[in-house]
């Protein structure tokens, strides 16, 4: 099933539920409507979809919770709308400003279609042009934020175009011989990086795991005949490259040099334990809260983890304590972890779950 959320199909469902609530309020219905709506749906569709009958209480609790939360937001949004309508009429204008429509959308979740309908009832139109511009500016700010975190991606992109992608060896090896295909020192492509300089190295092959899926990147050392780089972070780069961020701690490094890349084994092992813990925690949460409780984000780091998941209400303290007890008991069993590669289709038959927002190839691990 699908639960209301802020992304993908969950967001579509949330918009549908909010539109239903909005319609009810505009018709003058102030009492909760989801209970009766769900009851009618189950009555009409329950025979064809018996899972609706089996999970009726659960569906009602999710829908009613969504209505209750949006109800408060709707009232606050309507207050702002009424204030903006009054301002427009005081000025003798028949246009609701694009700024007001954007704020209603961004802060209170009012779709512009709803705002236009409400405005029309007041004899106003919405400044769609300004609204569209503000939405585009917001999207651009998001893109710019991603670019700021690109770690000299433009320069590395040039290196990738010339040298090709980085081969990853880290599942089998924590140390590997490689060639330095590119050096970026203090944000610019360089022919040499000297002791004390912040540096990005690109190798033709690497045992360093690049940050992904919530798991932090590896740290370690890269040694060349002329210098040593202490790697503090590893991230995916453009063109299939791997970015090794760090500082030159001795000598100097140059493109074209042979190198020995060595991952901090203790740190990797600690991160792997956190990774396994995340899977066990996810399984335990779904077991106690229901199949809808899916991972929505995580941080997997040495010695610690953060696990985000979707649920329609705050999890009671006693349930959280039960999750902790069960997960810790599973971890204490210290069962062996067996990793293997297979097709996506077979992995799903074995209970593997694809997480929304993650990209997978035909072969998965």
């Amino acid at each position: 099933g699908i639960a209301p959320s802020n992304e993908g199909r969950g967001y579509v469902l949330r918009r549908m539920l909010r539109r239903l609530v909005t319609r009810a309020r505009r018709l003058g219905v102030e009492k909760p409507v989801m209970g009766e709506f769900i009851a009618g749906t189950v009555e009409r569709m329950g025979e064809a979809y018996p899972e609706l009958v089996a999970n009726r209480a659960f569906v009602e609790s999710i829908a009613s919770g969504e209505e209750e939360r949006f109800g408060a937001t709707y009232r606050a949004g309507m207050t702002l709308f009424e204030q903006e309508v009054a301002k427009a009429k005081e000025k003798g204008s028949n246009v609701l400003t694009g700024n007001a429509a954007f704020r209603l959308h961004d802060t209170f979740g009012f779709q512009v279609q709803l705002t236009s309908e409400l405005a029309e009832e007041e004899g106003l139109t919405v400044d769609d042009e300004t609204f569209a511009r503000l939405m585009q500016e917001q999207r651009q700010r998001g893109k710019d934020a991603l670019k700021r975190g690109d770690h000299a991606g433009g320069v590395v992109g040039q290196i990738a175009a010339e040298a090709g992608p980085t081969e990853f060896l880290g599942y089998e090896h924590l140390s590997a011989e490689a060639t330095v295909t590119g050096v970026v020192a203090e944000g610019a492509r360089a022919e040499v990086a000297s002791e004390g300089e912040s540096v990005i190295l690109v190798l033709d092959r690497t045992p360093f795991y690049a940050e992904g899926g919530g798991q932090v990147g590896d740290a370690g050392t890269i040694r060349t005949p002329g210098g040593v780089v202490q790697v503090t972070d590893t991230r995916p780069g453009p063109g299939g490259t791997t970015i090794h961020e760090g500082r030159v701690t001795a000598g100097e490094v140059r493109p074209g040099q042979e190198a020995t890349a060595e991952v901090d084994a203790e740190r990797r092992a600690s991160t792997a334990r956190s990774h396994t813990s995340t899977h066990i925690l996810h399984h335990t949460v779904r077991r106690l809260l229901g199949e809808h409780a899916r991972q929505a984000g995580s941080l997997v780091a040495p010695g610690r983890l953060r696990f985000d998941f979707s649920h329609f209400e705050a999890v009671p303290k006693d349930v959280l304590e039960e999750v902790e007890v069960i997960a810790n008991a599973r971890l204490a069993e210290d069962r062996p972890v067996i990793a293997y590669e297979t097709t996506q289709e077979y992995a799903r038959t074995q209970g593997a779950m694809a997480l929304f927002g993650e990209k997978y190839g035909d072969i998965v691990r």
Side-chain angles (χ1 to χ4, degrees):
I2 306 168
S5 70
N6 288 327
E7 59 183 18
R9 297 177 299 170
Y11 181 58
V12 175
L13 176 60
R14 171 162 284 167
R15 287 179 59 180
M16 291 173 63
L17 293 176
R18 288 184 172 186
R19 193 166 184 81
L20 190 153
V21 174
T22 300
R23 291 292 183 184
R25 298 297 181 268
R26 292 181 62 198
L27 289 171
V29 181
E30 295 299 328
K31 67 177 183 178
V33 297
M34 283 298 176
E36 294 181 19
F37 176 74
I38 298 299
T41 302
V42 172
E43 182 180 343
R44 290 170 175 78
M45 307 295 291
E47 185 175 348
Y49 299 96
E51 60 269 26
L52 285 176
V53 179
N55 295 291
R56 174 173 174 170
F58 174 66
V59 173
E60 284 183 348
S61 65
I62 290 182
S64 297
E66 189 72 15
E67 178 178 15
E68 182 180 354
R69 286 187 292 273
F70 180 62
T73 302
Y74 178 79
R75 288 191 293 273
M78 285 302 299
T79 298
L80 173 64
F81 173 78
E82 291 164 1
Q83 292 171 349
E84 294 295 331
V85 167
K87 289 179 183 178
K89 291 183 176 181
E90 285 175 8
K91 295 178 181 178
S93 173
N94 63 350
V95 177
L96 185 73
T97 68
N99 285 290
F102 176 77
R103 186 178 172 192
L104 285 165
H105 177 278
D106 196 50
T107 305
F108 301 103
F110 279 40
Q111 297 301 310
V112 69
Q113 295 91 338
L114 169 61
T115 302
S116 295
E117 291 171 7
L118 293 171
E120 185 177 358
E121 292 179 358
E122 296 290 341
L124 305 177
T125 59
V126 174
D127 181 356
D128 292 324
E129 184 176 338
T130 300
F131 174 81
R133 175 176 58 79
L134 292 171
M135 288 295 292
Q136 179 58 36
E137 289 175 358
Q138 185 185 60
R139 286 190 285 268
Q140 189 60 48
R141 284 193 294 272
K143 292 179 181 178
D144 291 343
L146 288 175
K147 289 179 181 178
R148 286 195 295 273
D150 195 20
H151 298 274
V155 178
V156 177
Q158 297 173 9
I159 297 171
E162 298 171 9
T166 304
E167 180 185 1
F168 178 60
L169 308 172
Y171 288 144
E172 295 82 21
H173 306 283
L174 294 179
S175 179
E177 300 302 313
T179 300
V180 180
T181 57
V183 176
V184 180
E186 306 299 342
R189 193 168 182 178
E191 290 303 316
V192 61
S194 303
E195 184 173 341
E197 286 188 287
S198 296
V199 67
I200 286 174
L201 292 189
V202 180
L203 308 178
D204 64 338
R205 56 210 304 261
T206 183
F208 283 75
Y209 177 84
E211 176 184 337
Q215 181 168 317
V216 299
D218 280 332
T221 57
I222 297 176
R223 301 177 185 274
T224 71
V228 178
V229 173
Q230 189 68 39
V231 178
T232 55
D233 197 8
T234 310
R235 299 178 182 272
T241 56
T242 297
I243 292 175
H244 307 80
E245 291 186 343
R247 185 174 296 276
V248 182
T249 56
E252 60 183 30
V253 294
R254 297 174 179 272
Q257 288 183 319
E258 298 301 309
T260 300
E262 187 170 355
V263 173
D264 182 334
E266 184 176 343
R267 185 177 185 275
R268 166 75 82 84
S270 182
T271 304
R273 288 191 290 271
S274 294
H275 188 132
T276 300
S277 299
T278 301
H279 286 294
I280 290 176
L281 184 56
H282 192 187
H283 180 271
T284 306
V285 165
R286 286 170 62 83
R287 171 183 162 189
L288 294 182
L289 298 182
E291 295 298 304
H292 69 281
R294 297 172 64 90
Q295 181 175 337
S298 67
L299 171 66
V300 180
R304 67 190 182 95
L305 65 88
R306 189 199 75 244
F307 183 77
D308 309 329
F309 61 92
S310 56
H311 191 47
F312 56 87
E313 64 180 0
V315 182
K317 184 178 179 181
D318 62 324
V319 176
L320 286 176
E321 291 175 348
E322 188 176 1
V323 168
E324 181 179 5
V325 169
I326 294 174
N328 281 336
R330 288 287 303 278
L331 290 166
E333 293 174 1
D334 196 22
R335 296 183 182 181
V337 176
I338 302 173
Y340 60 94
E341 292 186 346
T342 185
T343 63
Q344 265 204 64
E345 182 179 357
Y346 180 74
R348 290 177 188 274
T349 67
Q350 300 303 298
M353 182 187 308
L355 300 180
F356 182 83
E358 294 294 332
K359 296 180 179 180
Y360 304 92
D362 293 332
I363 302 299
V364 295
R365 190 172 188 269

